[in-house]
Amino acid sequence: GNDMYEEYKAIRGSVALEKEQLLPIQAGTDQPCSVFGLHPKLTSMQKLYNSGDVAFFANTGLLHKNSTRGNFKANHKATGLFGHGIRRAIQIMNFKS
């Protein structure tokens, strides 16, 4: 399989964090890897995730091509990308169901 860290490092280049710096979190099923890494300053988020109080939504972006503020409306259908509806939906979800 692919080494997801090496892909990350290739894309991020000189600003990539070293693998040893990342805080590990165990991924669920149907993921490209079994462990993801958080920024080292997100220790509280790591604890919340490990206790089941936080969920991550990986790769949920809506854009399928590069966009700028100037060309967005001309090139994209309305998606709610700049709205706060998704934040509200996440707030009302019960992750401990």
Side-chain angles (χ1 to χ4, degrees):
N2 295 341
D3 184 335
M4 299 301 288
Y5 174 77
E6 288 303 321
E7 286 186 31
Y8 155 79
K9 192 172 178 179
I11 291 168
R12 299 293 291 165
S14 65
V15 297
L17 296 171
E18 292 300 320
K19 195 172 192 175
E20 298 75 27
Q21 292 178 281
L22 300 173
L23 301 174
I25 58 170
Q26 297 298 316
T29 59
D30 297 328
Q31 297 295 328
C33 58
S34 60
V35 179
F36 285 90
L38 295 177
H39 188 280
K41 291 191 177 188
L42 295 176
T43 55
S44 295
M45 189 70 68
Q46 180 192 34
K47 289 175 187 171
L48 288 169
Y49 179 84
N50 288 339
S51 67
D53 292 319
V54 165
F56 289 98
F57 294 89
N59 300 321
T60 57
L62 300 172
L63 301 178
H64 63 278
K65 58 183 166 181
N66 291 335
S67 297
T68 65
R69 187 178 294 266
N71 73 12
F72 182 81
K73 286 185 180 179
N75 294 326
H76 296 83
K77 295 179 182 177
T79 61
L81 180 65
F82 299 111
H84 296 282
I86 189 66
R87 288 185 189 171
R88 181 67 185 136
I90 290 170
Q91 287 174 347
I92 61 174
M93 286 180 180
N94 180 359
F95 292 108
K96 288 189 169 190
S97 55

